[in-house]
Amino acid sequence: MPGISLRSFCKVNLCLEVLGRREDGYHELATVFQTVSLADTLTVVPTAGPDLLRVPRGGAPAGPDNLCLRAVRAYRNQRGWPPGVRLQLDKTVPAGAGLGGGSSNAAATLRALALLDDQPPSDQALHQIAATLGADVAFFLTGGTALGTGRGEKIERLPDLAGLPLVLARPRLSISTAEAYGMLSPEDFSDGARARAMAQAICEGAGIEGIAAHLHNAFTASLVRRWPEVAEVLEALRDAGAVRAEVSGSGSACFGLFPDADAAEAAALRLQVLGLWAVEVQSVNRGWEVVDEAADEAYG
Ligand code: C5P
């Protein structure tokens, strides 16, 4: 059976508020998610043999805990299909960066299987499977611009902000999401009004300045206290011309909003010269995209 190749986009959180800690150990969120054009490529080929995953260029664990393999097992539990898969994951998105790379890969795996399946589960069933894999996996099933609440798994689509020029930049630092949540204190918690105000502004057609005015991240204060290099990256983005800059997710990646694509390109180059990982991206209106509908064996 032929397989399929998908591009699996990453995200930034244009606004991320943490409302408080829940009984189940998770935190209640109000966040505005936005997928951006930096992507990994995932090839999924159903087979009769055991599940196999190849990650040729590092950046993700290739063992059974890899989110793509967990997604395959969760899908199979629901559908009794496929018997096995061969996966190849070509990583571009850095891990431990707050860009949702692993969650996006898990969602792309579910989408790929549903596209190959002659009796795919409903979108609602796919969302239920996604939510068991991680808090923001459900978001990536659709992507684009969305308000996330609950653990981040309750998704309300917003009008697309596609084409927004951004630069992603990060210090040489990977941050565990669980550790970043553990560093929060009650002063970092807020009531969700900022995320709702940003969602409202987006619904009313706000431009760059309007979006920039609402950027916020509950993790920034505690991350900057512990890792000054995060503040340095935010400062470097502003110095390079960002209208505003913020941390994405629980870090360490930061992003800047730029007035146009030329300004973003020049800024990314300037940050690279400083020795930072930096890349110019655009916001996109989806979480995944088919690149090859008849992908062959991922293994040459
Ligand atoms: O769901 P995900 O695997 O991305 O979450 C990783 C960790 O981040 C969780 O185990 C939890 O410690 C923390 N987390 C949280 N509240 C959320 C999302 C994640 O406390 N809403």
Side-chain angles (χ1 to χ4, degrees), residues 25-29 70 103 133-136 150-152 177-179 181:
Y26 274 86
H27 289 76
E28 194 73 9
L29 305 182
R70 288 180 47 205
S103 297
L133 296 167
D136 51 12
R151 290 183 297 130
T177 308
E179 189 185 355
Y181 273 101

Side-chain angles (χ1 to χ4, degrees), residues 16 18 20-22 24-29 67 70 103 131-137 149-153 176-182 184 219 250:
L16 173 50
V18 178
R21 196 159 187 277
R22 305 172 8 153
D24 63 4
Y26 274 86
H27 289 76
E28 194 73 9
L29 305 182
L67 270 170
R70 288 180 47 205
S103 297
T132 66
L133 296 167
D136 51 12
V137 179
T149 53
R151 290 183 297 130
E153 87 289 8
S176 131
T177 308
E179 189 185 355
Y181 273 101
L184 294 177
F219 291 97
S250 55

